[in-house]
Amino acid sequence: LEILVTILNENDNSPVFKQTNLTQVVPEDTKVNATIIAREELSASDADLDTIFYELTTIVQGTEGYFAIKGVNNPEIYLRRALDYDKFKLTTLLLYAQDRPVGSSETTNTATATINILIEQSDTKPPWFLPCTFINTDNNICISSPYTGRVNISEVSTEPLILEPGPIHAIDPDYTINERIVYSIVGGDTDKVFSVDADTGNLTMNKAATSPDGFLLQVMATQVNNIQKYSIASVEIKVINKSEHPPYFESKIYSGTVFVGLAPRSFVFQAGDPSSPLMITAVDDDFPDV
């Protein structure tokens, strides 16, 4: 008597990942659609030899939609959206492996792998001159105001010029990289009256300004590692006559009169002469005719 016995495979094994917890560093400037983690590193095995179905979810709020898998049977993770280090610096993904399709009514065994993604800042932004004002909600575009200063005609200052709203200074906004920045004058100084310190940004004079015409300098801040990463700021220098005398008030004491019940912004009148508004005047001997 010959008896043929057929062994039926029972779904009694769960899928198994090679690693259940892994960390991947991803540069901020990674191209969209680039592979982040290869299929070979993420594929699960199943002792029952079942087809494995994968699903990827993001558990960190605000970082959804950046990463995805290539297909329901292909766990390779790729980048779907461009990264921005200023928006988020890390996220956590959960990769599920099931031996039955999602939604199947059959008994399903599941394995889970945790994937930590760390975003590495890249050199993506040109230098920012400070102070500057952000013009968008993402805080990745910062516009500086022109610098202003003044010099005396026919006189050479021996100290760095004092500028408003502050000294010339630029930073690398990719702050974890913080690349060194150098300064140069690239326009507006045809007579070579000024120099800028390449390292500090201090603006000094080479010779005196002989004309009352002002200067509108263009100062460039460039990253040492990449000359294509640069910004240009305007520096307006006014040429004035040297002030020999401080201004002073014509009188040491001024007396005025106000009336009860006056509306805001009403005139204050001279004491003893309620028909004449009180006037406080100052003079400067450098400008005798003004």
Side-chain angles (χ1 to χ4, degrees), residues 128-146:
W128 289 347
F129 281 97
L130 299 181
C132 65
T133 302
F134 291 108
I135 63 171
N136 60 349
T137 56
D138 292 334
N139 292 344
N140 54 17
I141 300 177
C142 203
I143 303 299
S144 63
S145 300

Side-chain angles (χ1 to χ4, degrees), residues 210-221:
T210 57
S211 168
D213 297 333
F215 298 84
L216 186 59
L217 307 179
Q218 303 295 315
V219 175
M220 182 167 68

Side-chain angles (χ1 to χ4, degrees), residues 60-89:
V60 177
Q61 187 174 4
T63 65
E64 302 89 346
Y66 284 88
F67 301 95
I69 56 176
K70 285 293 182 70
V72 68
N73 299 122
N74 182 355
E76 178 178 304
I77 297 177
Y78 71 98
L79 183 65
R80 289 184 60 194
R81 296 171 55 188
L83 298 170
D84 187 341
Y85 185 81
D86 294 326
K87 288 185 177 179
F88 70 94
K89 299 169 178 56

